[in-house]
Amino acid sequence: MSIVSPTPKAIAAAAKVIQDGGVIVMPTETVYGLACNALDAKSVEKVYEIKGRPSENPLIVHIQSWEAVAQVAASWSADAELLAKKYWPGPLTLVLPKLSNVPDQTTAGLDTVAVRVPRHPVALDLIRAAGCPIAAPSANVFMGLSPTRAEDVTPEIEVEVDFILDGGPCEVGLESTVIDVSSGNPRILRPGLISRAEIQSLLGRPLGERPPGDLRRSPGIYPRHYAPKALLLLVETLPAGEAGLVFSEPQNSHQLRMPRDPQAYSALLYRYLRRLDDAKVGIIYVVTPPNDPSWEAVNDRLKKASHLA
Ligand code: TXA
Ligand code: MG
């Protein structure tokens, strides 16, 4: 299927596909998602199949507003409500106790569900038009780079979906911050644009730590993830003549200059790694960003991308 412009007609048609149990690609402000009806087990199974994702990895459920949380969550804490009211719509995912109408397939058998209200207008229009919560993992094959532009959705995914709605380049470029607020002290399962410091300051206390060996509860914490096809190596400076991401003046056409601001860097990261993959460079050298809390999400993704499987 080809890429379509998100006209009201295209959004209505995509919503119909979702209502009929199909799968489409939708834009969000973070990355593009492989979208289906979150409450329909068969649709969700198709998404796992298309992604080649192990069924033990739960999906994120996208809803249209804070009020809609009651469609999928059994309860929410005061912390959850505070976070949602501050950051929704936006790149924040909350893990909450689930309602029984959410199929096990969506949550990989967990008794919690990950929920967010995206702020991309096309995603919001689509959720409204479909009239159901939409499950959407990033629209890439398992472990690969998340697409941040419609044209970055790879052919393996493209052939399997009825629509790729083109919402333009994603503003954020990295997946949402995931916070477990289902029990105990809230903890970050996946860092993102909304930083640990911001969340701690809103809640007025430090976030809890993720227990070691808690892999199953959050697939984004597999050691290798978000990776290009090329080997990615983090370095202080690029070896002469090699390809990669730099902060200073590029020395050849396979060296891409990155912004020194973490948000601007995030918005370009996956697109540039993909460009170097397309150029079939064998190794992508990446000049290590500052070891500063504002770079936590970028450094998390780079570390996972550089981990050898
Ligand atoms: O920005 C995003 O979050 C994008 C867009 C499309 O919304 N979606 C995305 O989905 O990144 P995915 O499937 O690639 O990543 C799902 C993440 C996992 O890494 C995991 O941390 C978390 O969601 N997750 C989902 N359900 C969970 C649950 N019940 N408990 C803990 N973590 C969960
Ligand atoms: Mg993903």
Side-chain angles (χ1 to χ4, degrees):
M1 175 63 212
S2 55
I3 296 172
V4 297
S5 165
T7 58
K9 203 172 147 198
I11 291 174
K16 175 85 170 57
V17 170
I18 288 179
Q19 287 165 349
D20 291 346
V23 179
I24 66 119
V25 173
M26 72 167 180
T28 82
E29 74 280 20
T30 57
V31 299
Y32 278 72
L34 201 50
C36 75
N37 180 350
L39 304 183
D40 177 31
K42 286 227 152 48
S43 306
V44 171
E45 280 166 8
K46 279 187 208 161
V47 164
Y48 279 94
E49 214 175 285
I50 296 171
K51 262 188 84 90
R53 176 171 180 146
S55 59
E56 64 181 21
N57 292 3
L59 307 182
I60 292 175
V61 174
H62 300 69
I63 56 174
Q64 59 170 304
S65 63
W66 162 250
E67 286 68 36
V69 82
Q71 292 173 9
V72 292
S75 61
W76 44 89
S77 59
D79 286 336
E81 186 161 350
L82 195 63
L83 285 164
K85 291 198 164 151
K86 167 95 180 165
Y87 294 112
W88 283 358
L92 180 78
T93 296
L94 297 176
V95 174
L96 298 167
K98 88 172 184 85
L99 269 185
S100 59
N101 65 327
V102 181
D104 279 345
Q105 282 83 347
T106 306
T107 62
L110 296 175
D111 50 12
T112 53
V113 60
V115 193
R116 86 178 185 97
V117 179
R119 72 166 171 239
H120 195 297
V122 174
L124 289 171
D125 284 350
L126 182 71
I127 299 165
R128 264 184 231 114
C132 60
I134 291 185
S138 52
N140 53 279
V141 293
F142 181 56
M143 301 234 271
L145 295 171
S146 304
T148 54
R149 297 182 307 169
E151 57 268 43
D152 290 342
V153 175
T154 57
E156 304 96 292
I157 301 276
E158 191 176 352
V159 295
E160 300 289 345
V161 298
D162 292 318
F163 276 96
I164 298 176
L165 291 176
D166 188 353
C170 299
E171 168 205 343
V172 174
L174 289 186
E175 303 80 0
S176 59
T177 308
V178 180
I179 307 185
D180 187 348
V181 277
S182 63
S183 61
N185 203 20
R187 49 204 183 113
I188 294 199
L189 300 180
R190 180 174 70 185
L193 175 71
I194 297 174
S195 71
R196 185 180 298 272
E198 279 177 76
I199 295 161
Q200 291 184 160
S201 111
L202 180 73
L203 298 182
R205 64 182 194 282
L207 291 163
E209 290 302 320
R210 180 173 54 75
D214 199 7
L215 263 190
R216 205 185 115 78
R217 292 183 63 93
S218 211
I221 59 182
Y222 282 129
R224 183 175 173 81
H225 214 106
Y226 313 113
K229 295 193 188 87
L231 181 66
L232 188 150
L233 295 175
L234 283 161
V235 292
E236 285 309 308
T237 49
L238 247 60
E242 295 291 345
L245 307 182
V246 295
F247 287 110
S248 52
E249 192 62 38
Q251 304 301 316
N252 65 51
S253 63
H254 287 156
Q255 294 187 358
L256 305 174
R257 188 173 194 158
M258 299 303 286
R260 289 184 185 272
D261 164 69
Q263 283 188 33
Y265 189 109
S266 300
L268 291 175
L269 178 62
Y270 291 152
R271 189 199 306 185
Y272 280 8
L273 291 177
R274 193 176 298 272
R275 192 191 292 178
L276 293 174
D277 257 352
D278 290 345
K280 305 230 171 346
V281 307
I283 304 178
I284 299 175
Y285 291 89
V286 176
V287 174
T288 312
N291 182 19
D292 178 89
S294 64
W295 287 86
E296 183 181 2
V298 168
N299 284 329
D300 169 76
R301 301 310 191 278
L302 287 175
K303 192 166 153 216
K304 281 170 185 150
S306 66
H307 196 280
L308 304 176

